[in-house]
Amino acid sequence: MDVIKRYMQFVKPYKWQIAGTLLIGIVKFGIPLLLPVVIKYVIDDIIGGSMSAAEKKEQLYWLIGLMLLLFVIVRYPVEYYRQYFAQWTGSKILYDIRDRLFAHIQQLSFKYYANTRAGEVISRVINDVEQTKNFVITGLMNVWLDAATIVIAAAIMMTMDVKLTLVALVVFPFYGLSVRYFFGNLRRLTRIRSQALAEVQSHLHERVQGMPVIKSFAIEPVEQERFQAHNQNFLQKALDQTAWNAKAFAVVNTITDIAPLLVIGYAGIQVIDGNLTVGTMAAFIAYIDRLYNPLRRLVNSSTTLTQSVASMDRVFELLDEKYDVTDKAGAVECRNVKGDIVFEHIDFRYDQEDELVLKDVDLHVKAGETVALVGMSGGGKSSLVSLIPRFYDVTGGRILLDGTDIRDFKVRSLRDKIGMVLQDNILFSESVQENILLGRPGATKEEVIEAAKAANAHDFIMNLPNGYDTKVGERGVKLSGGQKQRVAIARVFLKNPPILILDEATSALDLESEHLIQEAIEALAKTRTTFIVAHRLSTITHADRIVLIEHGEVVEDGSHDELMKKQGGYWRLFQVQQLGQ
């Protein structure tokens, strides 16, 4: 199968460790195969032999002593190292896969995350990758060891009695047919079950993040019902898989249970007729257990491998997600940026079937200029600024930075030259200092403090329980809205980019926070090309230019005074806000 071939790419670097583990495993499984031979020797040669009682006891003591030595001294370290190396190899392969997946999901575009729930991604990276470990432990090790055990046991049995060995193996073809029939459908059922589990995890992830909303609206009973619906769906899919699995086990185990009866019956007749010794019969009955226990484990392995392959499907489905925004062949580093940006006849839509969000936008922003984008919600302001760092690519037209199409630059080098402050800036659960360091990970503590001071954040940080080492909680939950914004601005100060994008950076804040942030923003915007997306027009009257965007089109463009004199759309918006205040 293609999915297994692809998985083997991750396995290949550890082929020698797997080979070593298999060799150790063969020794581990081979030692117990000596027991039936011992049983035969004790019954036929010691108990049934012509030696004196004293000689028989001496022989028995030597034999048991030798076997104890083998089991206690040799088998213990063999068992330990087989388990250790098997788990070590499996864990290393999982580490590599998760590493590759994280690198991959970091390159997926905003479009992917807009259409995919976070819990779904987490489920694939954690649950599905973990399930694939069984392919290494079971499929690449245990299955071969069980198969080797069967071959060795059958070979030893052949040396004792060929006909009796064939009787013992007569049900093997029926076993193979039943496995093929039942486990063909199990992969599909397992994949469906995994998807249902991912949906439960996605729903739970969203609700845990939205717990303040649930509590504030007192909708716990409603949310309980919604969770139960997802949980019930998973239960049903799990039971469907379990029912089919149970049928497979019932049939296969019934087939494997018939073999000992056939051996006992045939061997008993041979002993009665004098064609077989009692010791050989006892050894064969013991070997039947050694022969069919691995076979039963192979049935378990079939289930485990089916689940692993279904999880591989989901892992590689995620790895196969295409990148919407990529570096073109021959892309160059973005260096020495002045900040002259030209939007040439820009068209943009989020999906092919959607309507255009931006239509024929023509705009030239000079280096060092501060441009405010205003207009009603849904007009396309945020969409326009999200095209500059290539969170999305234009549908039509092009964006030039210092005369070069931004698609000719390497994406990461382009984004390195852009600083963004958003309405809802996400902080990670680490310390304040670590969140500011996102702007420039190699910066010193002194540089972090300078950036915080420039953002009017230093004073409140020093009043936190542990100052710059205070943990801010998930998404910065321990800080107020104004404090989060100032930390976000501090990391942009630390980054010190030539281009600045402020998307609703001061909306929904109290007046004191807004004043402090406005001061920090004005300091930050000096000598940089700055784009400000704002609803509150009083905060952008200082901008060099104000661009009014309506229904994805540029309607007006000019300074605050020029647009107020026109008494057009901007003037009307300003009057409405002034009246509201």
Side-chain angles (χ1 to χ4, degrees):
M1 284 187 280
D2 288 342
V3 69
I4 293 177
K5 284 181 183 176
R6 292 184 66 183
Y7 194 82
M8 291 302 290
Q9 294 172 1
F10 292 98
V11 174
K12 195 175 179 182
Y14 304 98
K15 60 185 177 183
W16 295 114
Q17 287 90 335
I18 291 171
T21 307
L22 282 172
L23 288 174
I24 295 171
I26 289 171
V27 175
K28 181 256 180 183
F29 282 102
I31 291 172
L33 291 177
L34 296 173
L35 283 176
V37 177
V38 171
I39 292 169
K40 180 183 183 303
Y41 180 74
V42 169
I43 293 173
D44 288 346
D45 297 317
I46 296 180
I47 296 173
S50 57
M51 297 177 286
S52 66
E55 287 175 325
K56 288 179 180 180
K57 286 179 182 177
E58 187 182 355
Q59 285 277 321
L60 189 59
Y61 292 150
W62 274 105
L63 183 62
I64 298 303
L66 187 64
M67 294 306 294
L68 278 172
L69 189 70
L70 193 61
F71 273 83
V72 175
I73 304 300
V74 178
R75 196 170 187 273
Y76 171 79
V78 165
E79 175 68 26
Y80 170 81
Y81 284 112
R82 190 194 81 83
Q83 289 286 351
Y84 177 80
F85 286 128
Q87 293 296 329
W88 181 90
T89 305
S91 298
K92 286 288 286 181
I93 290 168
L94 261 55
Y95 169 86
D96 292 344
I97 294 171
R98 288 202 178 103
D99 217 41
R100 174 81 67 84
L101 275 172
F102 189 72
H104 174 69
I105 63 178
Q106 285 194 102
Q107 293 185 66
L108 291 172
S109 69
F110 277 46
K111 181 179 177 181
Y112 173 79
Y113 290 106
N115 296 321
T116 309
R117 294 194 292 183
E120 171 78 18
V121 178
I122 293 167
S123 180
R124 296 195 188 208
V125 175
I126 302 301
N127 297 339
D128 287 312
V129 171
E130 191 66 32
Q131 281 288 338
T132 68
K133 184 179 181 180
N134 292 324
F135 176 77
V136 180
I137 304 296
T138 302
L140 298 180
M141 296 182 191
N142 292 355
V143 165
W144 294 108
L145 291 174
D146 285 331
T149 302
I150 292 168
V151 170
I152 294 168
I156 296 171
M157 290 163 74
M158 281 284 188
T159 63
M160 294 182 183
D161 193 293
V162 174
K163 287 183 180 178
L164 194 53
T165 305
L166 294 176
V167 170
L169 300 176
V170 75
V171 298
F172 264 52
F174 299 101
Y175 163 82
L177 289 171
S178 60
V179 167
R180 182 174 182 179
Y181 171 73
F182 281 106
F183 291 97
N185 198 35
L186 192 61
R187 179 180 174 185
R188 182 183 64 83
L189 291 172
T190 303
R191 183 177 170 81
I192 292 170
R193 176 190 174 280
S194 297
Q195 181 60 36
L197 178 61
E199 287 171 9
V200 172
Q201 185 161 337
S202 295
H203 183 83
L204 184 62
H205 182 265
E206 284 184 345
R207 266 45 187 187
V208 168
Q209 284 194 322
M211 199 56 71
V213 176
I214 293 171
K215 289 185 176 295
S216 64
F217 284 95
I219 54 171
E220 289 91 342
V222 174
E223 286 302 323
Q224 187 68 41
E225 287 180 13
R226 288 175 178 167
F227 181 77
Q228 283 174 352
H230 284 282
N231 208 16
Q232 179 68 36
N233 179 56
F234 169 66
L235 174 64
Q236 189 56 54
K237 299 299 185 288
L239 290 177
D240 290 344
Q241 187 224 26
T242 299
W244 191 258
N245 207 22
K247 286 178 189 175
F249 272 91
V251 171
V252 171
N253 285 337
T254 300
I255 291 171
T256 54
D257 285 341
I258 292 170
L261 295 176
L262 295 175
V263 168
I264 291 168
Y266 182 78
I269 293 169
Q270 294 299 306
V271 170
I272 292 166
D273 290 344
N275 298 325
L276 197 71
T277 65
V278 175
T280 303
M281 179 180 175
F284 257 86
I285 292 169
Y287 270 123
I288 282 292
D289 193 45
R290 298 287 187 274
L291 197 65
Y292 280 93
N293 267 349
L295 209 57
R296 291 189 186 97
R297 283 198 298 270
L298 285 174
V299 177
N300 283 321
S301 299
S302 300
T303 307
T304 304
L305 290 175
T306 303
Q307 291 172 342
S308 294
V309 172
S311 291
M312 283 180 204
D313 284 336
R314 287 169 49 77
V315 168
F316 288 120
E317 189 175 63
L318 176 56
L319 271 175
D320 287 340
E321 281 291 339
K322 297 289 188 290
Y323 303 138
D324 293 313
V325 177
T326 56
D327 290 335
K328 66 187 290 187
V332 297
E333 293 287 332
C334 186
R335 293 194 177 96
N336 304 318
V337 171
K338 294 174 183 174
D340 188 87
I341 298 176
V342 179
F343 298 86
E344 280 189 359
H345 303 290
I346 297 299
D347 290 334
F348 174 67
R349 56 165 62 90
Y350 285 99
D351 287 300
Q352 281 191 327
E353 61 275 10
D354 292 347
E355 291 184 6
L356 285 172
V357 177
L358 296 170
K359 306 161 193 169
D360 196 30
V361 173
D362 259 332
L363 196 62
H364 182 191
V365 179
K366 295 173 184 175
E369 202 171 20
T370 296
V371 174
L373 305 176
V374 300
M376 300 295 287
S377 292
K381 305 181 297 297
S382 295
S383 298
L384 184 63
V385 294
S386 70
L387 298 177
I388 301 169
R390 290 188 69 195
F391 291 155
Y392 305 91
D393 272 338
V394 296
T395 306
R398 61 178 185 162
I399 300 172
L400 303 177
L401 172 58
D402 298 337
T404 303
D405 191 321
I406 59 172
R407 289 170 294 191
D408 292 335
F409 294 121
K410 291 181 179 177
V411 176
R412 284 184 62 186
S413 69
L414 171 67
R415 291 174 184 168
D416 191 48
K417 300 298 183 288
I418 300 169
M420 299 193 74
V421 182
L422 310 174
Q423 179 179 353
D424 182 22
N425 284 284
I426 294 173
L427 302 185
F428 296 126
S429 58
E430 284 90 8
S431 67
V432 174
Q433 179 172 328
E434 286 171 303
N435 272 286
I436 295 175
L437 278 169
L438 294 175
R440 185 154 49 90
T444 63
K445 178 71 174 282
E446 290 71 26
E447 289 172 322
V448 169
I449 292 170
E450 283 304 310
K453 285 179 178 177
N456 285 330
H458 178 71
D459 291 341
F460 92 76
I461 292 171
M462 293 308 294
N463 287 325
L464 294 173
N466 297 309
Y468 282 84
D469 294 322
T470 303
K471 304 283 185 184
V472 301
E474 190 172 7
R475 297 178 70 91
V477 68
K478 294 181 182 178
L479 302 181
S480 71
Q483 289 172 335
K484 284 200 289 186
Q485 290 294 73
R486 279 178 273 168
V487 170
I489 292 170
R491 63 190 180 197
V492 176
F493 265 113
L494 189 62
K495 185 176 184 179
N496 194 27
I499 300 169
L500 187 62
I501 297 173
L502 308 167
D503 192 351
E504 301 288 354
T506 61
S507 65
L509 296 178
D510 58 82
L511 289 174
E512 183 183 358
S513 293
E514 184 183 357
H515 172 71
L516 289 169
I517 288 169
Q518 197 64 40
E519 277 188 352
I521 284 173
E522 287 178 16
L524 188 60
K526 284 178 182 176
T527 72
R528 303 173 207 273
T529 304
T530 304
F531 293 84
I532 303 174
V533 176
H535 276 116
R536 202 176 302 175
L537 303 184
S538 58
T539 63
I540 50 88
T541 55
H542 67 284
D544 298 317
R545 285 165 59 200
I546 296 168
V547 178
L548 176 63
I549 298 178
E550 290 182 354
H551 308 297
E553 298 180 89
V554 174
V555 178
E556 293 179 4
D557 182 357
S559 67
H560 170 73
D561 291 336
E562 288 169 350
L563 296 183
M564 289 299 286
K565 285 176 185 175
K566 280 187 180 180
Q567 294 195 0
Y570 175 77
W571 177 83
R572 284 192 296 274
L573 275 177
F574 198 84
Q575 297 304 315
V576 168
Q577 287 198 9
Q578 291 296 100
L579 286 171
Q581 290 171 11

